[in-house]
Amino acid sequence: MPASMECPLCGGSMKRRETKNVTRVPGNPSATTRITWEWVCPDCDYFEEAEEESSR
């Protein structure tokens, strides 16, 4: 997957950002962590979810 992508709104350079979401369920001693990747444009705050790689 490329390291940057062109923003469809402003034409700026978008970067990939990793987000970790931790979910705690009452009664379950271990937390569940979900990692998602997003394309984020620092110029206009546009974002979209990145497609997952099929090689994983």
Side-chain angles (χ1 to χ4, degrees):
M1 186 170 278
S4 65
M5 181 171 99
E6 184 177 316
C7 177
L9 292 180
C10 70
S13 180
M14 296 176 70
K15 305 290 183 191
R16 278 183 42 176
R17 179 177 67 186
E18 177 182 319
T19 304
K20 293 181 183 179
N21 297 321
V22 178
T23 305
R24 298 190 182 274
V25 178
N28 187 354
S30 60
T32 303
T33 303
R34 181 175 177 232
I35 299 173
T36 57
W37 289 91
E38 294 178 327
W39 287 105
V40 180
C41 179
D43 299 330
C44 68
D45 294 329
Y46 175 80
F47 67 95
E48 64 184 54
E49 190 169 326
E51 296 178 8
E52 293 185 27
E53 295 179 26
S54 60
S55 62
R56 286 185 178 188

